Amino acid sequence: MLFFNRWVRLVHAVLGDLKLGAVIIEFATVLRGAQPFNAGNINATYDGQVLLGDGSIRQAIIKDLEPRELANELMAAAVALTVGLATPTPYVAAVDPGALQTTKGPIVSGKQMTFATVNVQTPSLRQIVIANGSSAIPALCQELMGWDDVGLLYGFDSFVANIDRNLGNLLFGGGDRVWAIDHGHCFGGPSWTAADLQSDKIFVDKLKVWLTPYMSEALRRSRAQDASDIVRKLDEESIEELGKRVGVDDLLDEADFDALISFLEGRKTHVPRIAADALGLPLLT
């Protein structure tokens, strides 16, 4: 039984900032009127508004997630914010009874918790391809390769063992208007067990399938170096403290939380090799 003591305290205070350096994940309240939508998403997803502790309102995408997948999203968001990868501002969003048809998340003080992110009003690559046809994919990949942080994306996905970086999980407005989203399938997937978390394991990386083939070898080597640079940023943080400060330890039992932290701490040294593999390169020396 998880009691979410930290969350109860913060929800009662109506001040939900969870901070570690530059990392902030706020609590919010989902307002009535959110509408369901489906853009290839598996979980129940809504477009609506959330109320923040300072009284401001944000248009947001709201997802109803099981606790483990919610933990994945929070941990991945915290890592993305730590290393500087663009991702829409995340929130833990409380749903008042009757405000929205949610069933999966943990209940804190009578409110069901969901994962929400600011709606940046930008289509995913998948939505662009649906609108323009599959012939648009090569041109989109060429544009994406020019994104300054594409190497960082490879490093991030290698570190968090993201097995689902498909066309729907990147919002793309051209140039550097790119956001990485939907990280419930990190750490090998939303149903991972401690036994699955092997720090040196190369998990399926979909970028290797649909983006890497468009890159020249010189570009792939350059992006591999960018991917390796996240290790320096990660070494400046305690992954355990990061996980605790965003409430992941409240969502997982102690053994699973310890296994996740051990996996991530151990994985730092393997990022260069894993990212190089995703980029179709031998281990960097």
Side-chain angles (χ1 to χ4, degrees), residues 12-48:
H12 282 171
V14 200
L15 296 170
D17 291 4
L18 301 172
K19 301 183 179 182
L20 177 61
V23 174
I24 301 173
I25 296 183
E26 288 187 80
F27 276 98
T29 299
V30 177
L31 299 179
R32 291 180 180 272
Q35 297 297 312
F37 79 93
N38 193 305
N41 40 287
I42 297 173
N43 293 294
T45 307
Y46 303 87
D47 188 353

Side-chain angles (χ1 to χ4, degrees), residues 6-7 10 17-21 25 239-249 257:
R6 182 183 305 108
W7 288 11
L10 292 172
D17 291 4
L18 301 172
K19 301 183 179 182
L20 177 61
I25 296 183
I239 301 300
E240 180 177 3
E241 286 303 311
L242 184 62
K244 287 181 177 179
R245 289 174 188 260
V246 299
V248 174
D249 60 326
F257 179 72

Side-chain angles (χ1 to χ4, degrees), residues 43 59 64 82 99 130 142 149-150 186 207 210 228 253 274:
N43 293 294
Q59 196 70 26
D64 187 19
T82 297
I130 289 173
Q142 289 294 329
D149 285 342
V150 71
C186 291
L207 287 174
W210 65 264
S228 298
D253 64 34
I274 294 169

Side-chain angles (χ1 to χ4, degrees), residues 172-219:
F172 186 63
D176 280 342
R177 297 186 69 248
V178 186
W179 292 268
I181 63 169
D182 291 348
H183 297 122
H185 285 244
C186 291
F187 317 118
S191 302
W192 59 263
T193 67
D196 299 323
L197 300 180
Q198 302 172 38
S199 293
D200 61 347
K201 180 178 178 180
I202 295 179
F203 292 79
V204 172
D205 190 328
K206 291 185 178 179
L207 287 174
K208 186 176 183 178
V209 176
W210 65 264
L211 182 58
T212 298
Y214 289 96
M215 294 183 177
S216 68
E217 181 176 347
L219 182 59

Side-chain angles (χ1 to χ4, degrees), residues 146-163:
W147 175 35
D148 287 345
D149 285 342
V150 71
L152 179 61
L153 177 69
Y154 274 90
F156 171 81
D157 281 352
S158 295
F159 179 64
V160 299
N162 184 6
I163 63 172

